[in-house]
Amino acid sequence: MMMNHPLKNPFNIIPGTVITGKWHRKQFKVIKELGSGANGTVYLAQHGNMQIALKMSQDGLSVTSEANVLKSFAKVQGSALGPSLLDVDDWESSKGLFSFYAMEYIEGPDLLSYIKQKGRVWTMVLILQLLNDLAILHEKGWVFGDLKPDNLIVKGPPARIRCIDVGGTTQIGRAIKEFTEFFDRGYWGLGTRKAEPTYDLFAVAMVLINTAYPERFSKTIGEIGQLRDAIRKKTELTQIEDVLLKALTGKFTSANEMRSELLQKISGIDTASAGQRKATQPQPEGRNTTPSGSPAGMSRTALKQQRQSSVRQAKPKKQKKRRVWMETFFIFLAVSFLYFFYILFKVI
Amino acid sequence: MYAGKIRQILLITDGCSNQGEDPIAMAALAKEQGITVNVIGVINEDRIDEQGMKEIEGIALSGGGVHQIVYARQLSQTVQMVTRKAMTQTLQGVVNRELKQILGRSQSLEDLPPEKRGEVMEVVDELGETVNLEVMILVDTSASMKSKLPTVKEALIDLSLSMGARSGANLYSVCVFPGKNGDVEKLMDWSPKLQALSSIFPQLSTGGVTPTGPAIKVALASFKQKRSLRSLLSGDDESSFEESV
Ligand SMILES: Nc1ncnc2c1ncn2[C@@H]1O[C@H](COP(=O)(O)OP(=O)(O)OP(=O)(O)O)[C@@H](O)[C@H]1O
Ligand SMILES: [Mg+2]
């Protein structure tokens, strides 16, 4: 969520401050602030010989609920679904008690800065990676929710897109917890705010549109008419118009389906403009507006790398059996706990 | 059978009340009846005056609710966030109370280790998805609010989009103050959707005084009326979640 808060950063932790968790007594030495938003402030910190990201909030509930999401991601094998969770604790500071969680530090520029630096050819590679991750996420019963370039960081090399900020991540079927207007289908009058895979795929299309309109734009007439017009004004978007329109109107049944149609589209364009292949080197920004700098000009190496990375997703299955048992156990635990409360509420 | 329900008043204003009952006292009265009062202060680029700010905080504090100051253009996001946050707080209050009863000591969520807290939060999340919600929306239509009203309308329609995605039922009612004839005017009676606003809202006339206290009073009466009507019709008792702090 993008919002200005009168009391944006109540912690104002000075670099060098050592934060000791109230419960687990782990120590984190703050290096600097990474950013802040509606749900708190994120710091870069040192823990042992490791650099980690620490999200601190006045709102203990949001920390707890985001940590819950990250915890359940940890159960997904070989996942790159979000930063991995390292610790959840409270900090008794001189200004009061604050909840925090420590997570993997994902170092790199956000999606738009990366594309600006390295050239448009990277857009498709990264979006294909993202769709891969979303497919796994959806399969596990989650919708990312607050999908936007600010929440997408490109790590590397090799370049790998990663989602941060799971504040909007919602179980499929529930109401989306947090969103940003430009990427929200409800805002455009193109659907509900129920957590469904199509909700994320809409946002992916808007992320693509955002790469061509870095300043974004506001709703005028809204709905598909306005978005279609916006697509048709940019060559790099018209080349994938069908895919975008399908995503915007909720026609894809899965992230994988959108991924393969996108892949098909760009490989098609790739052969059609074979002579215009580009190297995957940083290019001056001005040249990006030429057709060859568009996503169509995606290089073979980039494509190959993408294929490799998707192959790498297929992990060995030896631990699978144990996983299944663990999963069963956890589900059992969760269900009994919920049932306990259910009974409680009925009795009262 | 027990059916929990959350009742809220959402007050949208840009500053100071200047007529009728003390709104902070009215908010306290609401809280006593298990109704939380949330306040959104809408400002233009200029700053809000200190007194107005104090009143906004005071109303939310004594009404056991949430408050937020925003620029008009951020209203949509804020309205849904405040509503959700207040809902979660109320549910947390309920869960806290139950915890105290089970554990037999003065224990609240903060006293639980993070792992246990996470489990409780899952229950709170689940309840937030399924609980029934009733929101009485009070919109300040005094002269200074005039330019912001179209945005308020959009934000309210957007709110019903957000809350409508939950599986629990929602009911809204909308009052404006000052009204055409008198302090408060009911624009829309209890209804599951806010879409109807798009046709009623622009016809608003805006007056000079700001009777915030009387508006909260009318809201309370409306909740009560609704309640007695229901129990008359169905003969059953309605219970509701109450904030416990
Ligand atoms: N794991 C991480 N690794 C590196 N940087 C991070 C990480 N998590 C967050 N950040 C940085 O901190 C900023 C704020 O984090 P985050 O988006 O989680 O906060 P938020 O309060 O949820 O903000 P928003 O208002 O966008 O929802 C991010 O934009 C990002 O730059
Ligand atoms: Mg963010």
Side-chain angles (χ1 to χ4, degrees):
Chain A
M1 242 192 266
M2 291 225 278
M3 239 185 281
N4 285 325
H5 281 246
L7 284 175
K8 214 176 174 188
N9 183 357
F11 325 108
N12 209 2
I13 304 173
I14 305 159
T17 307
V18 175
I19 289 167
T20 306
K22 175 183 163 185
W23 302 90
H24 306 144
R25 312 305 305 175
K26 284 193 186 151
Q27 292 194 327
F28 306 93
K29 188 172 178 182
V30 172
I31 299 170
K32 64 170 187 186
E33 186 183 317
L34 288 172
S36 77
N39 297 327
T41 308
V42 180
Y43 294 94
L44 176 66
Q46 189 81 32
H47 174 63
N49 55 5
M50 207 173 29
Q51 291 203 327
I52 57 106
L54 205 144
K55 186 158 185 173
M56 179 81 63
S57 178
Q58 280 182 303
D59 180 4
L61 295 182
S62 77
V63 163
T64 307
S65 112
E66 288 181 23
N68 268 353
V69 173
L70 293 178
K71 215 178 280 173
S72 67
F73 284 2
K75 291 171 202 150
V76 182
Q77 198 171 16
S79 78
L81 299 184
S84 52
L85 183 70
L86 304 169
D87 192 25
V88 193
D89 213 326
D90 296 328
W91 180 42
E92 290 169 304
S93 81
S94 53
K95 288 175 197 156
L97 189 80
F98 300 119
S99 296
F100 69 84
Y101 62 87
M103 62 186 141
E104 172 192 1
Y105 170 47
I106 300 178
E107 192 175 5
D110 69 275
L111 179 68
L112 292 189
S113 318
Y114 187 88
I115 292 170
K116 209 171 151 186
Q117 258 174 43
K118 303 270 177 162
R120 285 239 175 83
V121 302
W122 283 96
T123 310
M124 286 305 147
V125 182
L126 297 169
I127 294 296
L128 291 171
Q129 288 181 357
L130 176 63
L131 286 168
N132 231 333
D133 291 344
L134 287 176
I136 300 170
L137 190 80
H138 296 161
E139 201 184 301
K140 298 296 167 193
W142 295 93
V143 164
F144 188 78
D146 199 3
L147 201 62
K148 57 178 171 181
D150 330 33
N151 285 342
L152 297 168
I153 289 187
V154 186
K155 240 181 106 160
R160 181 71 177 88
I161 201 166
R162 295 286 304 269
C163 300
I164 55 162
D165 191 3
V166 293
T169 306
T170 309
Q171 284 174 43
I172 287 179
R174 291 193 180 177
I176 293 286
K177 277 193 219 155
E178 212 178 289
F179 56 87
T180 302
E181 278 176 358
F182 188 77
F183 306 91
D184 164 47
R185 67 181 182 187
Y187 170 76
W188 293 103
L190 288 169
T192 66
R193 293 201 177 120
K194 221 179 219 339
E196 295 159 345
T198 46
Y199 186 90
D200 277 344
L201 300 182
F202 178 93
V204 172
M206 291 311 289
V207 168
L208 279 163
I209 291 176
N210 195 182
T211 61
Y213 292 90
E215 303 298 319
R216 300 179 192 171
F217 45 83
S218 306
K219 184 169 72 176
T220 50
I221 54 165
E223 310 203 356
I224 199 65
Q226 189 186 347
L227 297 178
R228 190 192 290 118
D229 286 349
I231 292 168
R232 291 189 176 159
K233 285 198 189 99
K234 301 276 181 183
T235 31
E236 68 266 39
L237 296 180
T238 39
Q239 285 162 336
I240 50 168
E241 180 177 335
D242 308 352
V243 180
L244 290 176
L245 292 179
K246 253 178 112 171
L248 293 174
T249 51
K251 301 263 160 58
F252 285 118
T253 52
S254 71
N256 277 329
E257 191 189 341
M258 179 169 174
R259 188 176 187 278
S260 57
E261 279 195 29
L262 200 58
L263 199 55
Q264 214 166 23
K265 202 99 216 163
I266 55 183
S267 343
I269 303 165
D270 197 22
T271 43
S273 56
Q276 299 180 4
R277 269 168 42 204
K278 275 238 147 159
T280 51
Q281 263 141 33
Q283 7 175 303
E285 218 207 316
R287 278 163 68 198
N288 289 350
T289 40
T290 64
S292 58
S294 71
M298 185 159 144
S299 77
R300 286 280 146 78
T301 32
L303 269 173
K304 206 186 280 166
Q305 194 183 342
Q306 174 55 30
R307 270 186 227 116
Q308 275 169 357
S309 79
S310 48
V311 171
R312 241 184 281 129
Q313 294 281 342
K315 285 270 163 167
K317 293 181 178 176
K318 49 179 172 183
Q319 276 197 321
K320 199 148 190 184
K321 216 159 194 173
R322 217 180 104 208
R323 287 267 153 180
V324 170
W325 276 108
M326 290 286 274
E327 228 168 76
T328 318
F329 178 68
F330 274 115
I331 290 169
F332 172 71
L333 254 185
V335 166
S336 36
F337 194 80
L338 278 176
Y339 193 62
F340 167 67
F341 268 88
Y342 179 64
I343 289 182
L344 206 77
F345 278 107
K346 280 237 179 141
V347 168
I348 291 149
Chain B
M1 196 186 123
Y2 180 78
K5 154 189 305 191
I6 287 184
R7 296 183 297 160
Q8 296 181 349
I9 291 172
L10 176 66
L11 173 64
I12 300 176
T13 180
D14 67 349
C16 269
S17 64
N18 55 17
Q19 184 154 307
E21 290 89 347
D22 176 5
I24 299 183
M26 288 298 114
L29 196 61
K31 191 184 171 194
E32 289 308 313
Q33 298 171 45
I35 300 167
T36 51
V37 186
N38 307 304
V39 195
I40 295 177
V42 202
I43 53 173
N44 286 323
E45 301 311 313
D46 43 45
R47 300 271 309 275
I48 192 167
D49 68 284
E50 196 142 325
Q51 212 186 340
M53 179 89 182
K54 253 204 185 121
E55 186 178 287
I56 286 168
E57 269 179 38
I59 295 173
L61 191 68
S62 74
V66 176
H67 76 276
Q68 183 80 54
I69 309 288
V70 286
Y71 296 123
R73 62 186 150 81
Q74 298 165 320
L75 200 61
S76 285
Q77 296 249 324
T78 306
V79 166
Q80 74 102 18
M81 194 181 85
V82 162
T83 304
R84 256 180 184 287
K85 208 166 168 180
M87 203 168 80
T88 313
Q89 247 181 38
T90 307
L91 291 170
Q92 189 204 356
V94 178
V95 172
N96 260 346
R97 230 178 17 205
E98 306 314 333
L99 282 177
K100 273 177 204 163
Q101 273 185 14
I102 308 161
L103 303 172
R105 41 198 146 123
S106 67
Q107 211 166 28
S108 72
L109 216 47
E110 282 81 43
D111 304 321
L112 289 178
E115 297 74 27
K116 285 269 157 18
R117 213 182 294 166
E119 292 173 39
V120 175
M121 191 64 207
E122 260 166 47
V123 178
V124 172
D125 265 355
E126 165 91 34
L127 284 170
E129 176 67 25
T130 51
V131 75
N132 295 342
L133 177 70
E134 288 176 1
V135 192
M136 167 57 88
I137 298 156
L138 304 176
V139 184
D140 175 352
T141 50
S142 61
S144 57
M145 281 289 288
K146 193 162 186 171
S147 64
K148 299 161 197 153
L149 289 178
T151 322
V152 172
K153 181 186 77 180
E154 289 297 314
L156 293 178
I157 292 172
D158 195 75
L159 172 71
S160 79
L161 192 65
S162 283
M163 303 320 278
R166 301 180 321 122
S167 51
N170 305 292
L171 277 179
Y172 311 91
S173 176
V174 182
C175 287
V176 294
F177 63 97
K180 255 187 246 124
N181 345 283
D183 278 348
V184 189
E185 182 189 341
K186 187 171 268 184
L187 211 58
M188 204 186 88
D189 208 350
W190 293 104
S191 138
K193 285 204 168 134
L194 283 168
Q195 267 71 12
L197 278 184
S198 54
S199 54
I200 334 170
F201 225 67
Q203 303 158 10
L204 282 179
S205 61
T206 47
V209 293
T210 313
T212 312
I216 299 178
K217 197 172 158 190
V218 167
L220 294 182
S222 176
F223 272 114
K224 198 171 258 165
Q225 206 178 13
K226 184 169 166 296
R227 226 176 171 183
S228 49
L229 199 71
R230 271 278 180 84
S231 48
L232 240 161
L233 288 176
S234 62
D236 70 3
D237 243 0
E238 281 209 357
S239 38
S240 77
F241 287 139
E242 280 171 42
E243 180 94 18
S244 79
V245 184

